[in-house]
Amino acid sequence: MSINVAVIILFTLFHLVDIQAAPSSSRPKNISFDVFDQKTDTSSLKFQGDSTIVSGALQITPDTISNPDLLINKFGRVFYSEPFKLWSSSDDNVHASFNSSFLINLHRQPNWNAGEGLAFLIAPDISIPAASFGQWLGLTNASTNGNQSNRIVAIEFDTEKQDDYDPDDNHIGLNINSVISNKTVSLGVHNITLSPQGSTNHSVWVQYNGSSKLMEVYMGKQGEPKPDKPLLSETINLKDYVNQQSYFGFAASTGNNTEIELHCVLKWSLEVDDLKEESDSISLKIGLGVGVPAGVILLVLFGVLYVKKRRRKGRSDEESNVFDKSLSWLPEMPKEFKYKEIKKATNNFHESMRLGEGGFGIVYKGILNIKDDNTATEIAVKQFSRDRIKGKDDFLAELTIIYRLRHKHLSLCEGWCYDKGKLLLLYDFMPNGSLDKHLYEASNHNTLNWERRYKILADVASALRYLHNEYDQKVVHRDLKASNILLDSDYNARLSDFGLARAIDDGRSSYAELGLAGVPGTRGYVAPECFHTGRATPESDVFGFGAVMLEVVCGRSPVTGIDHHQHLYSLVDWVWMLYREGKIQEAVDERLGNEYVVDEAERLLLLGLACSHPIASERPQAQAICQIIGGTMSAPHVPPFKPTFTWPLMDAPSSSTTQSTVNSAATLSSKGFSATNMGDE
Ligand SMILES: *[C@@H]1O[C@H](CO)[C@@H](O)[C@H](O)[C@H]1NC(C)=O
Ligand SMILES: *[C@@H]1O[C@H](CO)[C@@H](O)[C@H](O)[C@H]1NC(C)=O
Ligand SMILES: *[C@@H]1O[C@H](CO)[C@@H](O)[C@H](O)[C@H]1NC(C)=O
Ligand SMILES: *[C@@H]1O[C@H](CO)[C@@H](O)[C@H](O)[C@H]1NC(C)=O
Ligand SMILES: *[C@@H]1O[C@H](CO)[C@@H](O)[C@H](O)[C@H]1NC(C)=O
Ligand SMILES: *[C@@H]1O[C@H](CO)[C@@H](O)[C@H](O)[C@H]1NC(C)=O
Ligand SMILES: *[C@@H]1O[C@H](CO)[C@@H](O)[C@H](O)[C@H]1NC(C)=O
Ligand SMILES: *[C@@H]1O[C@H](CO)[C@@H](O)[C@H](O)[C@H]1NC(C)=O
Ligand SMILES: *[C@@H]1O[C@H](CO)[C@@H](O)[C@H](O)[C@H]1NC(C)=O
């Protein structure tokens, strides 16, 4: 097999590259934000909880003075997106020094009591503990406070006195894994009020000397030079408390009705010694690795499938061997994990780690400890249930697909495990869960502002375009819906669950072939023709995407009917009716208030209707969808009435185009759920 030989040669090349690339220098890494821009800075910064960028500043908690109700019990974090290495791997005594300066404004209105505070934070990951509002400053919460596994160090700027442990309501402190400071300094005596009457900007300098382990904090009003003397000065060996790779950023929180303020960071610069070492060639290796022709991977996988088929009657441990051997062969194969490791990571698949049920199995959260630097990595573990006969085939189908497909808006597989008939895939953990949660859970919906909604749809459209066009073989997703769209910490969307995905090169694959009872898609998202043909196509994916689009803009599920003047409408029919009556804007999620872009909303709604066209061939294709969302193509023309779907001949799947312009006014206005609204009822 000459191709396999080529793979080996490529591998050898990677290792040569590895050996040669071992530079070692120590220049500081510099990041600097003079102003924060929502358009350009959202990729270099990570936002958690209630944080955003507004008016050119980081708003670690919400920025509003007109509606103080929106400020109660908020908490947020913002991080620089890349971690920094804080000590050398090869020499324990070489620690990075760093300097950070920032401009903050803890604004309060005359009738507000100030509260609670802001912190400069070094943390092991970009997450935020739940319920870290009030006294917890976005740093810890009632259950994690003081726990050494937090691995955080922070400088707090505290405007609220907690009777148990704070000296006053205007102090700074050095915090280790806790909101109870190891050292505090009251600011009154230094003529500084963190949150005074009248808006005041303060400059802060935090510096750490990696040799002497001295942490110093300086502070002054904006425009004043850095003072000669630090306010706070403390020796602390960061290595004892934080991870080698740590993230830098800010956290803040507000309290209940009386203890509120704004927490703005207006400028930020950070300079950290860059401890360059051998391991830095990894990215180069990955970059080359992706270039391995997909054909090679396919070939190996077919090998796997073939061997597996032959051994079908064999015992499961035998099978396990086949898996192990064949899969380890794959050049791009991500890490293989031991069952034991995953069992531990998921706390023995404990109920509390359960994230949900997707595709053909249960999904768990897992926490892996990577040994070298003790960083905890969060993952999602998809367990393929054993008692379903289809399990292994699904596993292999999923593997075939995911190893060939790489796109930043598709969920990424990080590893796999096969043990005694149990099949597990490890995915990137998506801290913000699935889209439907944000749309429907009351505590979450305010996290989805208009900009995020628009971006999510653009992300999913680009993933769909990739699946349908940018790969040499067309791939259909088959089960596009809000719960299959996952959100990372920055609300970037990733399309997940390829359990039902299957390459369609010859049109043979179909729902029927999968041997599933009924149509596997989810009602409301399933194109009408699927009920007749039982086949998924790129066009039926587009239909599903249309449903998601309307869902995201309207904040309503395509599955639940809408009662309008005593008629029950499906989401599509309701939007179509509003469109016809010239008031399509009324379809926009009312929870957004006026906080959305009218043109954009209209464009998405029209596009959503176009994608919901009952006739498959009339729907726009993924390429056009991306252009319309991107604004480089105008919104589609949509007829005032939804065309009727008819399926003329059961055995002629391609003869449907002539029906496309038939209107169905009568059906639409007399009944909520007619034959035209397949899948709604
Ligand atoms: C880092 O940025 C600061 C502020 O912009 C600048 O003063 C300093 O010289 C920079 N350092 C390096 C090494 O680029
Ligand atoms: C931090 O600032 C001090 C004083 O301005 C400077 O001497 C030192 O080199 C800086 N260190 C780093 C890592 O930037
Ligand atoms: C604290 O945060 C953790 C992590 O987010 C969460 O699991 C836990 O439930 C939170 N505790 C409380 C009391 O909210
Ligand atoms: C600290 O946190 C770890 C991990 O979340 C947990 O297992 C442990 O029980 C916690 N310790 C205490 C004292 O709460
Ligand atoms: C800081 O405080 C924590 C808990 O209050 C304690 O465990 C730790 O030893 C203290 N560290 C220092 C350097 O004082
Ligand atoms: C404190 O600040 C105020 C106004 O910023 C100034 O008028 C006053 O002189 C300062 N007092 C001291 C002791 O520095
Ligand atoms: C705070 O700083 C920002 C950025 O330099 C500036 O636009 C703003 O006017 C300042 N605010 C006050 C109250 O000084
Ligand atoms: C850091 O500490 C070392 C050892 O005390 C000292 O020699 C060095 O000058 C310090 N560096 C800075 C920038 O202050
Ligand atoms: C507000 O919070 C403080 C302390 O966090 C608490 O003592 C007080 O009861 C709270 N007030 C209300 C109205 O919840």
Side-chain angles (χ1 to χ4, degrees):
M1 296 223 102
S2 61
I3 294 175
N4 286 353
V5 172
V7 172
I8 294 168
I9 293 170
L10 273 173
F11 254 100
T12 318
L13 278 175
F14 296 159
H15 290 288
L16 285 179
V17 169
D18 263 354
I19 293 160
Q20 282 165 5
S24 172
S25 66
S26 175
R27 259 185 264 113
K29 277 189 195 166
N30 236 6
I31 64 173
S32 176
F33 296 89
D34 234 12
V35 63
F36 294 89
D37 185 321
Q38 195 166 12
K39 289 257 157 23
T40 56
D41 295 332
T42 43
S43 57
S44 52
L45 297 166
K46 298 289 177 189
F47 297 80
Q48 293 291 348
D50 301 304
S51 60
T52 50
I53 292 178
V54 176
S55 312
L58 298 180
Q59 311 291 344
I60 316 294
T61 58
D63 169 60
T64 174
I65 51 174
S66 55
N67 190 353
D69 284 351
L70 299 177
L71 294 176
I72 294 171
N73 288 342
K74 298 295 177 186
F75 54 106
R77 284 185 178 182
V78 177
F79 289 103
Y80 185 66
S81 58
E82 303 290 331
F84 293 89
K85 190 173 197 173
L86 295 182
W87 58 88
S88 160
S89 307
S90 46
D91 184 351
D92 260 15
N93 295 318
V94 178
H95 290 215
S97 297
F98 65 79
N99 281 340
S100 185
S101 60
F102 42 91
L103 186 66
I104 56 174
N105 190 324
L106 309 189
H107 175 85
R108 70 175 162 118
Q109 293 292 85
N111 56 337
W112 305 351
N113 298 326
E116 297 271 346
L118 174 102
F120 175 72
L121 171 65
I122 305 173
D125 54 43
I126 54 163
S127 67
I128 188 167
S132 51
F133 53 78
Q135 60 179 316
W136 309 114
L137 299 178
L139 295 176
T140 61
N141 67 22
S143 43
T144 69
N145 195 48
N147 192 321
Q148 292 180 0
S149 70
N150 292 342
R151 304 197 72 75
I152 60 166
V153 166
I155 305 294
E156 66 167 35
F157 300 82
D158 197 341
T159 58
E160 181 72 25
K161 177 174 160 60
Q162 307 297 332
D163 290 333
D164 303 339
Y165 52 84
D166 280 338
D168 57 26
D169 59 3
N170 184 40
H171 63 272
I172 61 172
L174 171 67
N175 297 6
I176 301 172
N177 295 326
S178 169
V179 293
I180 305 173
S181 307
N182 289 67
K183 179 159 186 174
T184 57
V185 175
S186 293
L187 296 176
V189 292
H190 296 282
N191 204 15
I192 293 173
T193 308
L194 283 171
S195 188
Q197 294 282 359
S199 198
T200 305
N201 292 341
H202 285 107
S203 305
V204 180
W205 295 261
V206 176
Q207 63 191 49
Y208 182 68
N209 182 329
S211 321
S212 63
K213 316 280 185 290
L214 191 64
M215 176 89 84
E216 293 177 317
V217 183
Y218 301 77
M219 204 171 163
K221 288 207 180 69
Q222 180 180 26
E224 290 173 3
K226 181 176 156 192
D228 296 332
K229 284 213 183 98
L231 291 172
L232 185 155
S233 173
E234 184 74 6
T235 304
I236 165 176
N237 189 349
L238 285 179
K239 189 166 178 244
D240 295 340
Y241 305 103
V242 302
N243 281 0
Q244 186 185 25
Q245 295 277 355
S246 285
Y247 292 84
F248 283 72
F250 301 91
S253 69
T254 57
N256 59 25
N257 50 2
T258 51
E259 292 116 18
I260 51 174
E261 66 198 8
L262 309 186
H263 298 102
C264 317
V265 176
L266 300 132
K267 295 173 191 286
W268 183 25
S269 76
L270 172 65
E271 201 177 309
V272 184
D273 279 346
D274 194 5
L275 308 169
K276 264 213 153 75
E277 285 166 307
E278 323 77 54
S279 59
D280 292 330
S281 58
I282 282 174
S283 57
L284 184 56
K285 189 171 151 187
I286 292 169
L288 283 171
V290 172
V292 176
V296 176
I297 302 156
L298 261 187
L299 224 113
V300 178
L301 263 170
F302 281 135
V304 177
L305 281 161
Y306 179 66
V307 178
K308 192 194 70 80
K309 241 184 186 150
R310 280 183 41 195
R311 300 284 181 98
R312 199 162 234 165
K313 294 193 182 103
R315 288 194 319 276
S316 62
D317 39 340
E318 223 174 280
E319 254 176 65
S320 168
N321 271 334
V322 174
F323 268 100
D324 289 356
K325 286 205 185 102
S326 316
L327 292 177
S328 314
W329 242 101
L330 287 172
E332 275 180 63
M333 205 60 196
K335 197 172 162 190
E336 179 188 353
F337 286 83
K338 292 209 171 63
Y339 187 68
K340 226 170 48 189
E341 286 176 88
I342 299 180
K343 204 169 142 184
K344 187 169 161 227
T346 56
N347 197 2
N348 198 12
F349 299 97
H350 193 266
E351 193 58 27
S352 64
M353 302 296 265
R354 188 176 164 133
L355 292 173
E357 203 147 348
F360 294 138
I362 300 171
V363 186
Y364 293 92
K365 180 178 174 172
I367 296 161
L368 287 174
N369 278 315
I370 292 165
K371 280 161 209 136
D372 313 356
D373 57 0
N374 204 25
T375 27
T377 312
E378 294 175 312
I379 46 156
V381 179
K382 191 190 273 187
Q383 186 184 43
F384 287 73
S385 45
R386 189 181 187 174
D387 28 304
R388 302 203 203 192
I389 307 145
K390 302 293 300 179
K392 280 190 296 291
D393 288 335
D394 298 331
F395 177 74
L396 286 166
E398 180 137 353
L399 272 186
T400 325
I401 300 292
I402 57 183
Y403 288 124
R404 294 164 39 216
L405 302 176
R406 283 169 191 278
H407 186 269
K408 66 175 173 175
H409 297 301
L410 291 178
S411 74
L412 272 186
C413 183
E414 297 284 5
W416 62 283
C417 167
Y418 181 85
D419 183 83
K420 297 196 184 70
K422 282 209 176 68
L423 306 161
L424 301 163
L425 285 184
L426 280 61
Y427 289 87
D428 269 359
F429 176 70
M430 294 284 119
N432 276 317
S434 58
L435 175 59
D436 55 331
K437 277 199 219 151
H438 292 270
L439 286 172
Y440 306 120
E441 282 175 13
S443 57
N444 272 333
H445 77 83
N446 59 3
T447 58
L448 277 193
N449 61 23
W450 179 252
E451 188 162 353
R452 279 181 179 161
R453 292 186 199 214
Y454 203 86
K455 171 81 168 32
I456 286 165
L457 291 174
D459 290 352
V460 176
S462 76
L464 205 58
R465 180 179 59 189
Y466 173 82
L467 289 176
H468 288 178
N469 303 310
E470 286 172 21
Y471 209 75
D472 49 1
Q473 221 181 359
K474 266 191 206 289
V475 171
V476 282
H477 183 278
R478 285 170 178 257
D479 196 14
L480 207 73
K481 57 182 171 185
S483 58
N484 274 340
I485 295 168
L486 303 180
L487 303 173
D488 71 11
S489 56
D490 206 6
Y491 292 88
N492 295 306
R494 296 241 182 112
L495 199 45
S496 86
D497 209 339
F498 294 86
L500 292 168
R502 191 160 285 201
I504 46 154
D505 46 351
D506 53 4
R508 258 187 304 139
S509 61
S510 71
Y511 289 130
E513 257 180 31
L514 277 172
L516 299 163
V519 180
T522 306
R523 54 185 203 145
Y525 299 92
V526 176
E529 70 272 13
C530 291
F531 290 89
H532 297 267
T533 62
R535 277 178 50 181
T537 58
E539 291 79 29
S540 63
D541 274 357
V542 165
F543 186 93
F545 181 65
V548 170
M549 227 177 327
L550 296 179
E551 180 170 18
V552 168
V553 177
C554 306
R556 291 169 184 265
S557 163
V559 176
T560 333
I562 299 165
D563 197 351
H564 186 92
H565 298 312
Q566 299 183 336
H567 288 294
L568 203 54
Y569 288 88
S570 72
L571 178 58
V572 181
D573 289 343
W574 181 66
V575 175
W576 220 304
M577 179 193 65
L578 292 172
Y579 164 64
R580 182 165 59 250
E581 293 174 357
K583 41 188 191 187
I584 197 167
Q585 298 293 337
E586 286 182 18
V588 177
D589 191 344
E590 54 200 17
R591 294 171 301 185
L592 287 168
N594 288 326
E595 308 273 291
Y596 69 94
V597 183
V598 174
D599 290 350
E600 290 180 353
E602 195 156 309
R603 189 185 315 154
L604 292 183
L605 287 168
L606 289 177
L607 185 55
L609 292 180
C611 293
S612 308
H613 201 294
I615 314 281
S617 57
E618 298 290 307
R619 293 172 204 147
Q621 297 188 339
Q623 176 68 33
I625 292 174
C626 287
Q627 286 172 333
I628 292 167
I629 294 179
T632 56
M633 195 191 264
S634 55
H637 171 74
V638 174
F641 291 97
K642 183 170 133 182
T644 311
F645 173 75
T646 53
W647 191 258
L649 296 164
M650 292 307 277
D651 54 353
S654 58
S655 62
S656 59
T657 43
T658 51
Q659 306 295 325
S660 60
T661 50
V662 179
N663 293 336
S664 65
T667 345
L668 272 165
S669 51
S670 61
K671 291 185 262 164
F673 294 106
S674 65
T676 60
N677 308 321
M678 303 293 306
D680 288 325
E681 212 18 334

